[in-house]
Amino acid sequence: MEISGHTQMLCLIGSPVEHSGSPAMYNYSFRKLGLDYAYMAFDIREEETREAIQALRLLHVRGFNITMPCKMAALECCDELSQAARLIGAVNTVVNEHGRLVGHNTDGIGWVQSCRELGFEIRGAKMTIAGAGGAATAIQIASALEGVREMSIFARKANFFGNGEATVEKIRSSVPECVVNLYDLADKDRFYEEIGDSDIFTNATRVGMKPMDDQSLIEDTGVFRKDLVVSDVVYNPRLTKLLADAQAAGCKTVPGIGMLLWQGAEAFRLYTGQEMPVQEVMERYFME
Ligand code: NAD
């Protein structure tokens, strides 16, 4: 489809963005479905976020994705927030609904969807999750909103623990039926005990990502059972040490690349009201 006077614009803002796969993924999907949109990427520094969003509002763009470092600043520029974005405290997708900018966060629901695609349903399950940073918070809030029964969060006392405490408070007040507790990641006995009692373990820390790719938070691989699902948010490398160890023990695994793909697919649906051709996008842009 050629760009015309009717073409609606979408874009990504953040920095750096030149290596982002989003323009290729979205533009391929628009062409495939015959949708009259075009997607660009703009390098925007954190302090430029407000001005950039004002410009996008003026241009009546249909919407935009936000990546680091603009995610928090973008929240304040929205006229309305989805429940998930409000509780997570960050937006990664903004949709222009007839002049009103509605902020969403599709990271957490993208993770939930990546689990569902592989046959694991979070509703009614117990999850142990390590981490209290950006990715962890998005997954924890989305899982609570999607009906996780019980969640045990482990974070390092020195880093991000306060963030974990805030997440626990928000879940307890917004989703009181979800049982949620926060523990010190240094308490290994408790860590393995909670994993032993869970349906899914999720690593939502940087451990396993290059240059920590020879590390896994689970050193005692005896905790892996065949009916434990093991998920990792890290996607660089695709097969982390955690996932390799879990697979060797016969566990079903959910790789981090699925979250990346499905957060994009959720944004695509919000922009266009249609389903992204996920399978083709996966094969074309997400396979190594
Ligand atoms: P962040 O900086 O907000 O949080 C990092 C978390 O990792 C914190 O809880 C921190 O305490 C913990 N951590 C770091 N080093 C640790 C260590 N040595 N031991 C224990 N905990 C440690 O980062 P983020 O944005 O949440 O990203 C975390 C990871 O998730 C990164 O690898 C990132 O690439 C990945 N990620 C993946 C997706 C996806 O779509 N799959 C989306 C966002 C982030």
Side-chain angles (χ1 to χ4, degrees):
M1 180 162 288
E2 286 187 10
I3 290 179
S4 74
H6 297 285
T7 306
Q8 285 191 278
M9 193 177 85
L10 294 153
C11 64
L12 171 68
I13 61 169
S15 187
V17 290
E18 64 264 34
H19 299 299
S20 166
S22 294
M25 170 179 92
Y26 285 115
N27 287 320
Y28 168 80
S29 302
F30 298 146
R31 277 200 308 278
K32 182 85 194 166
L33 299 181
L35 298 174
D36 197 4
Y37 294 94
Y39 193 104
M40 300 284 291
F42 298 115
D43 200 287
I44 302 293
R45 287 173 287 143
E46 189 172 12
E47 61 274 23
E48 297 169 330
T49 310
R50 183 170 287 274
E51 211 181 333
I53 293 179
Q54 263 166 13
L56 294 172
R57 193 194 277 272
L58 185 69
L59 294 174
H60 306 292
V61 302
R62 170 62 180 145
F64 48 94
N65 290 113
I66 305 106
T67 186
M68 295 311 278
C70 303
K71 273 188 180 180
M72 318 293 181
L75 185 112
E76 288 154 22
C77 300
C78 292
D79 302 312
E80 205 179 310
L81 295 173
S82 71
Q83 189 185 19
R86 185 171 50 78
L87 292 173
I88 294 164
V91 299
N92 73 340
T93 304
V94 174
V95 186
N96 186 335
E97 305 284 8
H98 310 289
R100 284 185 66 73
L101 297 185
V102 184
H104 299 264
N105 191 309
T106 65
D107 282 334
I109 193 68
W111 176 84
V112 169
Q113 194 56 32
S114 74
C115 290
R116 286 189 177 140
E117 286 302 308
L118 293 175
F120 177 75
E121 175 56 57
I122 194 74
R123 189 177 302 275
K126 172 168 178 176
M127 169 159 73
T128 293
I129 176 165
T137 306
I139 291 173
Q140 288 150 7
I141 296 287
S143 298
L145 293 174
E146 288 295 306
V148 72
R149 184 184 85 245
E150 194 174 336
M151 188 164 21
S152 296
I153 302 172
F154 285 81
R156 292 186 297 181
K157 272 277 182 195
N159 310 67
F160 289 89
F161 203 81
N163 211 15
E165 285 171 331
T167 300
V168 166
E169 251 174 57
K170 286 182 203 171
I171 292 175
R172 284 184 182 153
S173 62
S174 305
V175 194
E177 61 278 19
C178 173
V179 177
V180 56
N181 287 298
L182 176 67
Y183 303 102
D184 185 354
L185 187 56
D187 185 351
K188 291 295 173 196
D189 289 344
R190 192 75 204 226
F191 184 54
Y192 289 121
E193 200 178 300
E194 290 300 312
I195 295 172
D197 189 39
S198 292
D199 302 296
I200 182 164
F201 169 70
T202 299
N203 171 49
T205 73
R206 290 175 185 271
V207 177
M209 185 171 86
K210 286 177 188 163
M212 285 189 275
D213 49 337
D214 59 342
Q215 296 175 35
S216 162
L217 283 180
I218 297 195
E219 283 156 2
D220 177 4
T221 55
V223 76
F224 292 130
R225 328 173 306 267
K226 284 202 167 49
D227 61 343
L228 177 73
V229 176
V230 177
S231 138
D232 205 332
V233 296
V234 174
Y235 56 84
N236 181 20
R238 296 280 200 273
L239 184 66
T240 58
K241 177 164 168 34
L242 169 71
L243 295 182
D245 288 349
Q247 283 175 7
C251 298
K252 186 182 262 191
T253 54
V254 182
I257 199 71
M259 175 176 171
L260 192 64
L261 174 69
W262 281 98
Q263 61 78 26
E266 291 295 325
F268 188 91
R269 185 186 302 135
L270 291 168
Y271 294 142
T272 68
Q274 303 217 23
E275 298 300 320
M276 193 169 86
V278 171
Q279 194 55 39
E280 283 140 285
V281 167
M282 174 65 118
E283 282 160 19
R284 245 181 126 90
Y285 300 107
F286 288 78
M287 298 294 208
E288 269 185 330

